[in-house]
Amino acid sequence: MTFKRPEIIRPPSEHDSYYLPLTSGCSNNTCGFCAYSFTKLGIRDLEEVKHEIDAMYLYVNNRIIVPDQPEIVYYILRGWNGKKLFLQDGDALVYPYPKLLEALQYLNGKFPYLQRIASYATPQDILRRSVSELKTLKAQKLGILYMGVESGNDEVLEHIRKGATHDQMVEAARKVRESGMLLSVTGILGLGGVAGSEKHALETARVLTEIDPDYAGALTLTLIPGTQLYEEMENGSFQLITPFQSLQELKTMVEKSNFSNCFFSSMHASNYFAVRGRMPQDKGKMLRELDTILARRDPALLRPEFLRGL
Ligand code: SF4
């Protein structure tokens, strides 16, 4: 089947990367809130990946444009500084291991000055790999994995059909850290609905503490028509939390999590209010900011709905 190049969906911190697709969609396309739940996993042919890397090389070194490459390749390359590369798509770590290794080796052969390669990964993808395999990928500059934790509460994880438990996520994180790669994780405010709000926030703080990542981010649930949670909201079985309830959850996560050295942020466009800082040292400052906004309850201090993004 012909591989269809996916749209660019990437972590904010990969804004200056080249986006190289290995897959399209997500292998765990079951999560009841996620746009990837409409997708089917596509695996790109390794020769096609190498062909794109060759085209990148020709453009970067000789400004040669290969006619069969899509315009997006050159659009990205024109603004690329050659330092970072992000492997698309929803969980490129699912790409068959020997081929993934070969793709990384090929990339490094053509671009020896690349500083870091990054990928989204599901906990299941990570658990499938041994620490030694992860170390081998790290040696080929796969330097950071972005893993969606979503919640630390097993009931919520089961309800949203994440396909992984609290403990499995902690175990996946342990393997990543042992490999020497950086780990960036995200939790989603509101995933427990109104009824499960407090438990979701507390358990997410607990899983974040146990994972002790290099980066942790909070996103806010935005319901997408057609997804499981959207349908449940429509039929009344799932109640969306209010913007101030999302900030209460954020406060609980910040307050109850303990990190050895983590950059924590709620800068993502889906959030109603942004705090960020290095933990543990900035925890007090972040909590004071959240206490102030929660005490004032002034909607004018929140990001307006029309400026929120996924
Ligand atoms: S594993 Fe991640 S990308 Fe895949 S469907 Fe679930 S939330 Fe979406």
Side-chain angles (χ1 to χ4, degrees):
M1 209 170 78
T2 323
F3 179 82
K4 190 168 176 294
R5 192 180 190 92
E7 277 179 39
I8 297 168
I9 298 178
R10 46 100 182 145
S13 47
E14 296 295 326
H15 63 93
D16 53 352
S17 295
Y18 184 84
Y19 311 115
L20 178 69
L22 297 188
T23 63
S24 61
C26 167
S27 67
N28 182 57
N29 55 357
T30 53
C31 299
F33 62 92
C34 179
Y36 279 105
S37 63
F38 306 125
T39 67
K40 201 163 167 254
L41 180 70
I43 299 275
R44 195 179 189 190
D45 192 74
L46 180 59
E47 288 315 307
E48 201 181 309
V49 174
K50 286 183 176 176
H51 187 54
E52 180 166 335
I53 298 170
D54 289 339
M56 291 165 64
Y57 177 86
L58 284 173
Y59 184 80
V60 168
N61 292 286
N62 309 99
R63 289 291 181 264
I64 293 173
I65 290 183
V66 178
D68 68 359
Q69 290 297 305
E71 178 49 33
I72 186 72
V73 165
Y74 298 102
Y75 179 79
I76 307 169
L77 283 175
R78 278 193 286 275
W80 190 45
N81 64 16
K83 292 182 183 163
K84 286 163 65 187
L85 184 138
F86 179 74
L87 302 171
Q88 287 182 273
D89 194 19
D91 67 330
L93 194 69
V94 79
Y95 201 60
Y97 176 75
K99 291 186 185 183
L100 176 57
L101 185 56
E102 198 175 326
L104 296 182
Q105 285 164 337
Y106 198 75
L107 250 178
N108 283 302
K110 295 284 180 185
F111 295 97
Y113 301 111
L114 258 182
Q115 289 177 359
R116 188 179 85 182
I117 300 170
S119 172
Y120 281 131
T122 64
Q124 298 93 314
D125 297 334
I126 297 166
L127 291 172
R128 225 175 278 127
R129 302 272 71 88
S130 67
V131 173
S132 147
E133 286 171 333
L134 292 173
K135 280 185 177 165
T136 304
L137 297 174
K138 166 76 170 54
Q140 294 299 324
K141 297 187 188 163
L142 184 58
I144 183 166
L145 293 180
Y146 296 91
M147 180 176 88
V149 162
E150 335 304 4
S151 176
N153 183 297
D154 278 336
E155 276 171 43
V156 172
L157 292 169
E158 200 181 329
H159 176 222
I160 62 161
R161 299 188 303 216
K162 178 69 186 169
T165 63
H166 176 121
D167 289 350
Q168 285 172 324
M169 285 196 267
V170 174
E171 174 58 10
R174 184 198 61 76
K175 289 176 109 173
V176 176
R177 294 179 67 82
E178 209 180 316
S179 76
M181 289 184 201
L182 295 172
L183 179 64
S184 178
V185 302
T186 44
I188 302 187
L189 306 171
L191 261 195
V194 171
S197 179
E198 196 186 349
K199 213 158 35 158
H200 164 61
L202 283 169
E203 285 292 286
T204 305
R206 187 165 73 87
V207 82
L208 292 179
T209 301
E210 289 171 21
I211 287 175
D212 198 16
D214 301 282
Y215 303 93
L219 281 64
T220 302
L221 178 64
T222 308
L223 291 176
I224 304 170
T227 56
Q228 173 204 336
L229 287 191
Y230 186 91
E231 302 298 329
E232 289 178 7
M233 190 238 342
E234 292 269 272
N235 71 28
S237 59
F238 181 84
Q239 209 187 342
L240 201 57
I241 57 169
T242 65
F244 283 106
Q245 282 171 326
S246 81
L247 296 189
Q248 183 57 52
E249 284 192 7
L250 181 60
K251 187 190 160 194
T252 303
M253 282 185 205
V254 172
E255 192 172 15
K256 302 290 180 191
S257 52
N258 290 298
F259 301 112
S260 47
N261 185 14
C262 172
F263 187 79
F264 186 101
S265 147
S266 71
M267 303 298 284
H268 190 269
S270 63
N271 295 315
Y272 288 99
F273 186 70
V275 287
R276 66 172 171 176
R278 187 154 288 283
M279 302 255 245
Q281 54 268 48
D282 296 329
K283 188 178 198 167
K285 174 183 79 75
M286 290 157 77
L287 286 175
R288 280 193 296 280
E289 285 174 41
L290 288 165
D291 278 337
T292 305
I293 193 158
L294 280 166
R296 287 176 63 183
R297 300 232 158 221
D298 179 358
L301 298 173
L302 304 177
R303 175 180 276 137
E305 216 48 73
F306 70 92
L307 284 181
R308 290 181 64 226
L310 283 174

Short mmCIF file of all heavy atoms in Angstrom, two decimals, residues 25-39 89-91 120-125 147-150 160-163 188, ligand 1:
data_model
loop_
_atom_site.label_atom_id
_atom_site.label_comp_id
_atom_site.label_asym_id
_atom_site.label_seq_id
_atom_site.Cartn_x
_atom_site.Cartn_y
_atom_site.Cartn_z
N GLY A 25 -0.01 7.72 11.53
CA GLY A 25 -0.97 7.27 12.51
C GLY A 25 -0.29 6.78 13.78
O GLY A 25 0.87 7.11 14.04
N CYS A 26 -1.03 5.97 14.53
CA CYS A 26 -0.51 5.48 15.81
C CYS A 26 -0.89 4.01 15.94
O CYS A 26 -1.99 3.61 15.58
CB CYS A 26 -1.13 6.29 16.95
SG CYS A 26 -0.89 5.55 18.58
N SER A 27 0.05 3.22 16.48
CA SER A 27 -0.20 1.77 16.58
C SER A 27 -1.27 1.47 17.63
O SER A 27 -1.88 0.42 17.61
CB SER A 27 1.09 1.04 16.95
OG SER A 27 1.49 1.39 18.25
N ASN A 28 -1.46 2.41 18.58
CA ASN A 28 -2.44 2.17 19.65
C ASN A 28 -3.62 3.10 19.43
O ASN A 28 -3.94 3.92 20.27
CB ASN A 28 -1.76 2.45 21.00
CG ASN A 28 -2.67 2.18 22.15
OD1 ASN A 28 -3.18 1.08 22.30
ND2 ASN A 28 -2.91 3.17 22.98
N ASN A 29 -4.26 2.96 18.30
CA ASN A 29 -5.25 3.97 17.91
C ASN A 29 -6.61 3.77 18.60
O ASN A 29 -7.64 3.75 17.96
CB ASN A 29 -5.42 3.99 16.39
CG ASN A 29 -5.76 2.60 15.86
OD1 ASN A 29 -5.82 1.65 16.62
ND2 ASN A 29 -6.01 2.51 14.58
N THR A 30 -6.54 3.60 19.91
CA THR A 30 -7.78 3.30 20.64
C THR A 30 -8.16 4.40 21.62
O THR A 30 -9.28 4.37 22.16
CB THR A 30 -7.61 2.00 21.46
OG1 THR A 30 -6.44 2.13 22.26
CG2 THR A 30 -7.49 0.79 20.57
N CYS A 31 -7.26 5.34 21.92
CA CYS A 31 -7.51 6.28 23.01
C CYS A 31 -8.73 7.16 22.71
O CYS A 31 -8.82 7.78 21.66
CB CYS A 31 -6.29 7.13 23.29
SG CYS A 31 -4.88 6.12 23.78
N GLY A 32 -9.63 7.18 23.68
CA GLY A 32 -10.95 7.75 23.47
C GLY A 32 -11.04 9.25 23.40
O GLY A 32 -12.14 9.80 23.39
N PHE A 33 -9.92 9.95 23.35
CA PHE A 33 -9.96 11.41 23.27
C PHE A 33 -9.10 11.92 22.12
O PHE A 33 -9.06 13.12 21.85
CB PHE A 33 -9.41 12.01 24.58
CG PHE A 33 -7.97 11.62 24.82
CD1 PHE A 33 -6.95 12.42 24.36
CD2 PHE A 33 -7.64 10.43 25.43
CE1 PHE A 33 -5.62 12.05 24.53
CE2 PHE A 33 -6.32 10.04 25.61
CZ PHE A 33 -5.32 10.86 25.15
N CYS A 34 -8.38 11.03 21.46
CA CYS A 34 -7.25 11.45 20.62
C CYS A 34 -7.60 11.41 19.13
O CYS A 34 -8.26 10.49 18.65
CB CYS A 34 -6.08 10.51 20.90
SG CYS A 34 -4.62 10.88 19.93
N ALA A 35 -7.09 12.41 18.42
CA ALA A 35 -7.33 12.48 16.97
C ALA A 35 -6.71 11.28 16.25
O ALA A 35 -7.19 10.88 15.19
CB ALA A 35 -6.74 13.78 16.43
N TYR A 36 -5.67 10.69 16.85
CA TYR A 36 -5.05 9.53 16.22
C TYR A 36 -5.95 8.29 16.29
O TYR A 36 -5.66 7.29 15.67
CB TYR A 36 -3.72 9.20 16.91
CG TYR A 36 -2.55 10.04 16.45
CD1 TYR A 36 -2.04 11.05 17.24
CD2 TYR A 36 -1.94 9.81 15.22
CE1 TYR A 36 -0.96 11.81 16.84
CE2 TYR A 36 -0.86 10.56 14.80
CZ TYR A 36 -0.38 11.56 15.62
OH TYR A 36 0.69 12.31 15.21
N SER A 37 -7.03 8.37 17.10
CA SER A 37 -7.90 7.19 17.19
C SER A 37 -8.67 6.98 15.88
O SER A 37 -9.27 5.95 15.67
CB SER A 37 -8.87 7.32 18.36
OG SER A 37 -9.74 8.42 18.19
N PHE A 38 -8.63 7.97 14.98
CA PHE A 38 -9.27 7.80 13.66
C PHE A 38 -8.30 7.22 12.63
O PHE A 38 -8.65 6.99 11.50
CB PHE A 38 -9.75 9.15 13.11
CG PHE A 38 -10.66 9.91 14.04
CD1 PHE A 38 -10.36 11.21 14.43
CD2 PHE A 38 -11.81 9.33 14.54
CE1 PHE A 38 -11.18 11.90 15.30
CE2 PHE A 38 -12.65 10.01 15.41
CZ PHE A 38 -12.33 11.30 15.79
N THR A 39 -7.04 7.05 13.04
CA THR A 39 -6.01 6.66 12.06
C THR A 39 -5.76 5.15 12.09
O THR A 39 -6.12 4.46 13.03
CB THR A 39 -4.67 7.35 12.37
OG1 THR A 39 -4.16 6.84 13.61
CG2 THR A 39 -4.82 8.86 12.46
N ASP A 89 5.47 9.18 13.10
CA ASP A 89 4.32 9.98 13.42
C ASP A 89 3.93 9.76 14.88
O ASP A 89 4.78 9.85 15.75
CB ASP A 89 3.20 9.59 12.46
CG ASP A 89 2.03 10.56 12.42
OD1 ASP A 89 2.19 11.70 12.85
OD2 ASP A 89 0.96 10.16 11.93
N GLY A 90 2.73 9.30 15.15
CA GLY A 90 2.21 9.21 16.52
C GLY A 90 3.03 8.35 17.46
O GLY A 90 3.02 8.57 18.67
N ASP A 91 3.73 7.35 16.94
CA ASP A 91 4.67 6.57 17.77
C ASP A 91 5.70 5.89 16.86
O ASP A 91 5.69 4.68 16.68
CB ASP A 91 3.95 5.56 18.67
CG ASP A 91 3.26 4.44 17.91
OD1 ASP A 91 2.83 4.67 16.77
OD2 ASP A 91 3.17 3.32 18.46
N TYR A 120 7.92 10.32 19.27
CA TYR A 120 6.86 9.93 20.20
C TYR A 120 6.98 8.42 20.40
O TYR A 120 7.40 7.70 19.48
CB TYR A 120 5.48 10.19 19.60
CG TYR A 120 4.97 11.61 19.62
CD1 TYR A 120 4.45 12.19 18.46
CD2 TYR A 120 4.95 12.36 20.79
CE1 TYR A 120 3.94 13.48 18.46
CE2 TYR A 120 4.43 13.65 20.80
CZ TYR A 120 3.93 14.21 19.65
OH TYR A 120 3.41 15.48 19.65
N ALA A 121 6.56 7.96 21.59
CA ALA A 121 6.57 6.52 21.84
C ALA A 121 5.45 6.18 22.79
O ALA A 121 5.20 6.92 23.75
CB ALA A 121 7.91 6.11 22.46
N THR A 122 4.77 5.09 22.53
CA THR A 122 3.78 4.63 23.52
C THR A 122 4.53 3.81 24.58
O THR A 122 5.62 3.27 24.30
CB THR A 122 2.71 3.73 22.87
OG1 THR A 122 3.35 2.55 22.40
CG2 THR A 122 1.98 4.43 21.74
N PRO A 123 3.95 3.65 25.77
CA PRO A 123 4.59 2.78 26.77
C PRO A 123 4.79 1.37 26.20
O PRO A 123 5.83 0.74 26.45
CB PRO A 123 3.57 2.75 27.93
CG PRO A 123 2.70 3.95 27.73
CD PRO A 123 2.71 4.27 26.27
N GLN A 124 3.82 0.91 25.40
CA GLN A 124 3.93 -0.44 24.83
C GLN A 124 5.15 -0.55 23.90
O GLN A 124 5.86 -1.55 23.91
CB GLN A 124 2.67 -0.79 24.02
CG GLN A 124 1.39 -0.81 24.85
CD GLN A 124 0.65 0.52 24.83
OE1 GLN A 124 1.27 1.57 25.00
NE2 GLN A 124 -0.65 0.50 24.64
N ASP A 125 5.40 0.49 23.09
CA ASP A 125 6.58 0.48 22.20
C ASP A 125 7.86 0.34 23.00
O ASP A 125 8.79 -0.38 22.63
CB ASP A 125 6.70 1.79 21.42
CG ASP A 125 5.54 2.05 20.48
OD1 ASP A 125 4.91 1.08 20.04
OD2 ASP A 125 5.28 3.24 20.20
N MET A 147 6.46 10.58 25.70
CA MET A 147 5.47 9.54 26.01
C MET A 147 4.24 10.18 26.67
O MET A 147 4.36 10.93 27.64
CB MET A 147 6.12 8.52 26.97
CG MET A 147 5.21 7.39 27.37
SD MET A 147 6.07 6.15 28.40
CE MET A 147 5.84 6.81 30.05
N GLY A 148 3.09 9.87 26.13
CA GLY A 148 1.84 10.36 26.73
C GLY A 148 1.45 9.47 27.89
O GLY A 148 1.18 8.28 27.70
N VAL A 149 1.44 10.03 29.09
CA VAL A 149 1.01 9.28 30.27
C VAL A 149 -0.50 9.43 30.44
O VAL A 149 -1.19 8.52 30.86
CB VAL A 149 1.77 9.80 31.51
CG1 VAL A 149 1.08 9.39 32.80
CG2 VAL A 149 3.20 9.28 31.51
N GLU A 150 -0.98 10.59 30.15
CA GLU A 150 -2.40 10.99 30.22
C GLU A 150 -2.95 11.01 31.64
O GLU A 150 -3.46 12.02 32.10
CB GLU A 150 -3.32 10.12 29.33
CG GLU A 150 -2.73 9.43 28.11
CD GLU A 150 -2.01 10.32 27.11
OE1 GLU A 150 -1.88 11.51 27.35
OE2 GLU A 150 -1.54 9.79 26.07
N ILE A 160 -10.33 5.30 29.05
CA ILE A 160 -9.94 5.94 27.77
C ILE A 160 -9.27 4.95 26.81
O ILE A 160 -8.87 5.33 25.71
CB ILE A 160 -9.01 7.16 28.00
CG1 ILE A 160 -7.70 6.74 28.66
CG2 ILE A 160 -9.74 8.26 28.78
CD1 ILE A 160 -6.59 7.74 28.52
N ARG A 161 -9.10 3.72 27.24
CA ARG A 161 -8.50 2.65 26.42
C ARG A 161 -7.07 2.99 26.00
O ARG A 161 -6.69 2.89 24.83
CB ARG A 161 -9.37 2.36 25.18
CG ARG A 161 -10.76 1.90 25.57
CD ARG A 161 -11.54 1.45 24.39
NE ARG A 161 -11.62 2.49 23.37
CZ ARG A 161 -12.68 2.71 22.62
NH1 ARG A 161 -13.74 1.97 22.73
NH2 ARG A 161 -12.67 3.66 21.71
N LYS A 162 -6.29 3.39 27.02
CA LYS A 162 -4.89 3.74 26.78
C LYS A 162 -4.06 2.50 26.44
O LYS A 162 -3.04 2.59 25.76
CB LYS A 162 -4.34 4.46 28.02
CG LYS A 162 -2.89 4.85 27.96
CD LYS A 162 -2.63 5.96 26.97
CE LYS A 162 -1.15 6.25 26.82
NZ LYS A 162 -0.85 7.13 25.69
N GLY A 163 -4.47 1.37 26.96
CA GLY A 163 -3.73 0.14 26.65
C GLY A 163 -2.50 -0.05 27.51
O GLY A 163 -1.67 -0.91 27.23
N ILE A 188 -3.02 14.76 31.06
CA ILE A 188 -4.12 15.54 30.48
C ILE A 188 -5.13 15.93 31.55
O ILE A 188 -5.81 15.06 32.13
CB ILE A 188 -4.80 14.77 29.33
CG1 ILE A 188 -3.76 14.43 28.27
CG2 ILE A 188 -5.94 15.60 28.74
CD1 ILE A 188 -4.33 13.81 27.02
S1 SF4 B 1 -1.27 6.21 22.15
FE1 SF4 B 1 -1.08 8.44 22.10
S2 SF4 B 1 -1.15 9.02 19.91
FE2 SF4 B 1 -1.89 6.89 20.09
S3 SF4 B 1 -4.14 7.08 20.18
FE3 SF4 B 1 -3.35 7.02 22.31
S4 SF4 B 1 -3.03 9.18 22.91
FE4 SF4 B 1 -3.25 9.10 20.67
#
